[in-house]
DNA sequence: GTGTACACTTAGAAGCGATCAC
DNA sequence: GTGATCGCTTCTAAGTGTACAC
């Protein structure tokens, strides 16, 4: 019997997008593909000291073996071997300096001295761009995140600018002038007319409900049906505006660029502990319609405009406090150095808190990132023991222990997320490991020539579908059968488990261990093993890049990092195919010419015709190479259609693996910071 | 044990300037 | 010159995990 509430989840269908993805996945049995357009660089300013890195890749294919210890949700042609234990992830770390009170005190004093010498303000803006090796400095041990923090506060979006009178809204075929408040919300919808969102019932319903709240009583009584609303003039107006922006002269564009740069310099940086640091998101989110992912019950709701009165400012007592815009005041001015955020506010859709924090290149983010990979490396040392433990626990007398052990096996083997419980009706129905339900799993004692196959099919984070068939150990299979007994589709698979229980257990096994550490560890170790397998010391740079991309793709597949195929995908593939066809024709013609030249040479037996043969041979060779390149490009693009490589690069792969000398491929990476040599 | 608040990381979509191909 | 594509940034939603009250 379930300890958790049952029947709490309503039947939901896959979103339209997901259906599209499913269909495409089916159509692409040899693997998912993605055009490597989406690649997110980590901020990697050498003076910015990011613990993350910057790489230049093209997309390349990987192939996956059926049973390699890691069971990837997306299948590929070639085996991706991944051994569980690989010592090379064991780079010697640079010894972390241990903080002590004396050193922290010294740093504090130094900060004070520098501050005093600059009249209470840091000389940050025009400081020479000298590398700051924050990783060589001591860390705070008292839980504080900084000693001094000064910033200029957030940048607010511009106020609403009413539409020109010539741009009209029509209701039931008749032009109608809207009040400014109602008009503003209408423009949010009008701007999205081309988007799939506006075809969704929930989106339309939520928008209309919230829009009506902004209307005057007269408007409210008149506008009663969304389907009678005509926003097309507004839509065309915004499209024309966007077009006009594109058509601006170089000078106009330059002027805007300079203004943006000025704002960035003024508001985009803060001073934290004597260093000028880039802020990640210094702009307040503008009002608009909420774009929840998947079947989000709140999509289309009005995201209200944030006012200074909603804003909490966090900074040092002894800093120059940011000033609220004239005529307004902040909600609160706080001096909490136990947190890293500079500005916060509560949003109105979920009631959650939003923050303005530092850029990933900052000391504070870099240190956290580093710690994350250090924890993953510690896990490497304990992982065999932990695996032995959970295998033992599969036989436990207690159901809760068995469930915990099977869930952990999934998290380790399949790199699943923990799966916290979520508020029903407040968010899209998505699950992770601990929140899997009976309906998400199917057991096949035999399937495709394999024993004990578990078929997993569930919506994960961002409503991305996780689909995988994996052969498991007999004991796991038997346990799963037991967990499913006497349960309905909507019941929890692991009814005696949640993330809190699981993480408490993990904490006992290793200090700092939580479910997500397994994802980091397994992603990084997969990269390393793939690099080892796919590269050889004699490889040239393109070959190494090819291997790196394949290894990266293996990680993306393991972590189920997917994206929607680009809108222009089909068209661009079609264009590429046309090129291939033309090239084939060219090749065929060149071959004919070569044949003719050979015949001439045989007859004439002179130097000129011999030379002609050589020329034609070279032409055939050149065209063949061009054709091959195009074909590789097509395969590559097709295989990368749905795989997103950026997330793993940015969040899961220890940069020390990418810059390891053994796999180093020169100009492929720009490294901001390599902590160990 | 449960619920909630909070702080932070992870995530895909969208935007945009630069470059390429024609 | 123009449209397509690339390479990257920005935006913000959606997760994880901890602390704390009851």
């Amino acid at each position: 019997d379930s300890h958790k509430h049952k029947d709490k989840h309503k039947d939901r269908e896959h979103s339209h997008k997901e259906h599209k993805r499913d269909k495409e996945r089916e159509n692409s049995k040899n693997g998912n593909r993605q055009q490597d357009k989406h690649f997110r660089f980590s901020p990697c300013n050498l003076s910015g000291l990011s613990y993350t890195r910057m790489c230049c890749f093209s997309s390349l294919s990987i192939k996956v073996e059926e049973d390699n210890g890691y069971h990837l949700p997306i299948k590929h042609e070639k085996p991706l071997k991944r051994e569980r234990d690989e010592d090379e992830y064991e780079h010697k770390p640079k010894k972390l300096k241990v903080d002590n009170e004396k050193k922290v005190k010294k740093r504090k004093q130094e900060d004070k001295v520098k501050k005093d010498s600059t009249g209470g303000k840091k000389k940050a803006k025009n400081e020479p761009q000298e590398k700051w090796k924050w990783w060589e400095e001591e860390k705070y041990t008292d839980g504080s995140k900084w000693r001094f923090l000064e910033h200029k506060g957030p940048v607010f979006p511009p106020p609403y600018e009413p539409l020109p009178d010539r741009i009209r809204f029509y209701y039931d075929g008749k032009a109608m002038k809207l009040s400014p408040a109602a008009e503003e919300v209408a423009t949010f919808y009008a701007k999205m007319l081309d988007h799939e969102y506006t075809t969704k019932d929930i989106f339309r319903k939520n928008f209309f409900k919230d829009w009506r709240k902004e209307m005057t009583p007269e408007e409210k009584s008149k506008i009663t049906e969304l389907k009678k609303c005509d926003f097309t003039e507004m839509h065309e107006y915004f499209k024309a505006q966007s077009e006009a922006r594109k058509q601006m002269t170089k000078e106009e564009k330059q002027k805007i660029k300079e203004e943006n740069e000025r704002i960035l310099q003024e508001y985009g940086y803060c001073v934290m502990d004597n260093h000028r640091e880039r802020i990640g998101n210094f702009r307040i989110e503008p009002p608009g319609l909420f774009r929840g992912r998947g079947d989000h019950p709140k999509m289309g709701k009005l995201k209200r405009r944030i006012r200074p009165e909603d804003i909490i400012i966090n900074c040092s007592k002894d800093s120059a406090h940011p000033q609220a815009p004239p005529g307004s005041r902040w909600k609160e001015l706080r001096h909490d150095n136990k947190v890293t955020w500079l500005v916060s506010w509560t949003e109105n859709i979920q009631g959650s808190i939003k923050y303005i924090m530092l850029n990933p290149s900052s000391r504070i983010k870099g240190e956290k990132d580093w710690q994350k990979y250090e924890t993953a490396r510690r896990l490497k040392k304990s992982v065999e023991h932990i695996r032995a433990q959970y295998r033992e626990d599969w036989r436990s007398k207690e159901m809760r222990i068995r469930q915990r052990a099977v869930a952990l096996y999934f998290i380790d083997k399949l790199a699943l997320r923990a799966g916290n419980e979520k508020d029903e009706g407040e968010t899209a129905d998505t699950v992770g490991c601990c929140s899997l339900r009976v309906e998400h799993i199917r057991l096949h004692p035999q399937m495709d020539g394999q024993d004990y196959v578990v078929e997993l099919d569930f919506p994960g984070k961002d409503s991305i579908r996780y689909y995988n068939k994996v052969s498991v150990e007999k004991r796991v299979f038997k346990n799963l059968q037991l967990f499913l007994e006497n349960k309905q589709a909507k019941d929890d698979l692991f009814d005696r488990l949640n993330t809190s229980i699981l993480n408490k257990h993990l904490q006992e096994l290793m200090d700092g261990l939580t479910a997500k550490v397994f994802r980091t560890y397994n992603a990084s170790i997969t990269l390393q093993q793939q690099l080892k397998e796919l590269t050889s010391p004699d490889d040239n740079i393109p070959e190494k890049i090819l291997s790196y991309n394949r290894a990266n793709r293996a990680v993306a597949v393991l972590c189920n990092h997917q994206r929607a195929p680009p809108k222009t995908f089909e068209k661009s593939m079609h264009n590429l195919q046309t090129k291939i066809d033309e090239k084939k024709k060219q090749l065929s013609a060149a071959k004919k010419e070569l044949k003719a030249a050979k015949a001439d040479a045989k007859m004439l037996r002179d130097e000129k015709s011999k030379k002609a043969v050589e020329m034609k041979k070279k032409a055939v060779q050149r065209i063949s190479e061009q054709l091959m390149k195009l074909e590789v490009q097509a395969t590559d693009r097709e295989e990368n259609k749905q795989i997103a490589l950026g997330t793993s690069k940015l969040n899961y792969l220890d940069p020390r693996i990418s810059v390891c000398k053994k796999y180093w491929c020169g100009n492929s990476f720009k490294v901001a910071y390599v902590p160990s040599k």
Side-chain angles (χ1 to χ4, degrees), chain A residues 3-66:
Chain A
H3 279 187
K4 297 178 195 168
H5 37 262
K6 293 177 183 172
D7 297 323
K8 63 179 181 181
H9 302 282
K10 291 169 191 166
D11 282 331
R12 284 175 206 268
E13 289 183 344
H14 283 314
S15 64
H16 176 71
K17 193 165 94 184
E18 206 172 324
H19 270 305
K20 234 167 104 185
R21 282 181 178 153
D22 295 353
K23 210 177 159 192
E24 269 146 7
R25 179 112 26 108
E26 280 163 23
N27 290 341
S28 164
K29 282 187 180 167
N30 287 332
N32 291 295
R33 297 109 199 258
Q34 142 180 323
Q35 185 187 7
D36 194 8
K37 174 189 160 196
H38 174 94
F39 167 56
R40 182 165 34 162
F41 271 31
S42 62
C44 177
N45 168 355
L46 281 177
S47 62
L49 306 159
S50 164
Y51 180 60
T52 43
R53 68 262 163 255
M54 201 153 83
C55 321
C56 312
F57 305 105
S58 68
S59 51
L60 298 154
S61 66
I62 50 160
K63 295 173 184 178
V64 181
E65 198 175 53
E66 273 297 302

Side-chain angles (χ1 to χ4, degrees), chain A residues 491-516:
Chain A
D491 292 342
D492 290 308
L493 172 68
F494 302 116
D495 52 279
R496 313 270 171 110
L497 183 71
N498 60 37
T499 53
S500 172
I501 294 169
L502 180 66
N503 281 334
K504 260 183 203 152
H505 172 64
L506 293 175
Q507 182 60 42
E508 283 164 12
L509 293 173
M510 187 193 105
D511 181 42
L513 185 61
T514 61
K516 77 195 267 286

Side-chain angles (χ1 to χ4, degrees), chain A residues 91-143:
Chain A
H91 305 288
K92 286 271 185 294
K94 185 164 188 168
K95 200 176 170 188
L96 295 181
K97 288 182 184 173
V98 180
D99 235 1
N100 58 42
E101 277 307 305
K102 216 173 155 184
K103 284 177 178 172
V104 171
K105 218 171 170 180
K106 195 181 159 198
R107 176 151 116 186
K108 205 175 159 187
Q109 269 176 350
E110 279 170 6
D111 282 357
K112 193 170 181 296
V113 168
K114 286 185 187 174
K115 205 169 67 179
D116 290 344
S117 67
T118 54
K121 294 197 176 185
K122 311 289 175 179
K123 233 170 67 182
K125 200 171 171 178
N126 295 318
E127 266 176 8
Q129 295 295 300
E130 202 178 291
K131 279 186 212 172
W132 170 33
K133 296 180 179 172
W134 53 255
W135 54 93
E136 289 181 355
E137 291 188 13
E138 288 73 41
K139 296 189 209 104
Y140 297 119
T141 51
D142 58 356

Side-chain angles (χ1 to χ4, degrees), chain A residues 83-97:
Chain A
E83 289 156 29
R84 280 184 171 250
D85 293 305
E86 184 55 60
D87 282 329
E88 286 163 67
Y89 188 27
E90 198 71 46
H91 305 288
K92 286 271 185 294
K94 185 164 188 168
K95 200 176 170 188
L96 295 181
K97 288 182 184 173

Side-chain angles (χ1 to χ4, degrees), chain A residues 408-426:
Chain A
L408 186 51
Y409 170 72
F410 279 165
I411 284 170
D412 183 24
K413 188 181 175 77
L414 304 175
L416 300 190
R417 293 188 185 85
N420 282 323
E421 283 165 85
K422 296 173 76 185
D423 287 341
E424 189 196 348
E426 298 289 304

Side-chain angles (χ1 to χ4, degrees), chain A residues 411-449:
Chain A
I411 284 170
D412 183 24
K413 188 181 175 77
L414 304 175
L416 300 190
R417 293 188 185 85
N420 282 323
E421 283 165 85
K422 296 173 76 185
D423 287 341
E424 189 196 348
E426 298 289 304
T427 54
D429 176 23
T430 63
V431 297
C433 185
C434 294
S435 50
L436 280 170
R437 299 194 295 268
V438 170
E439 62 190 329
H440 299 132
I441 187 167
R442 273 192 206 165
L443 303 181
H444 307 276
Q446 279 209 316
M447 190 187 211
D448 304 331

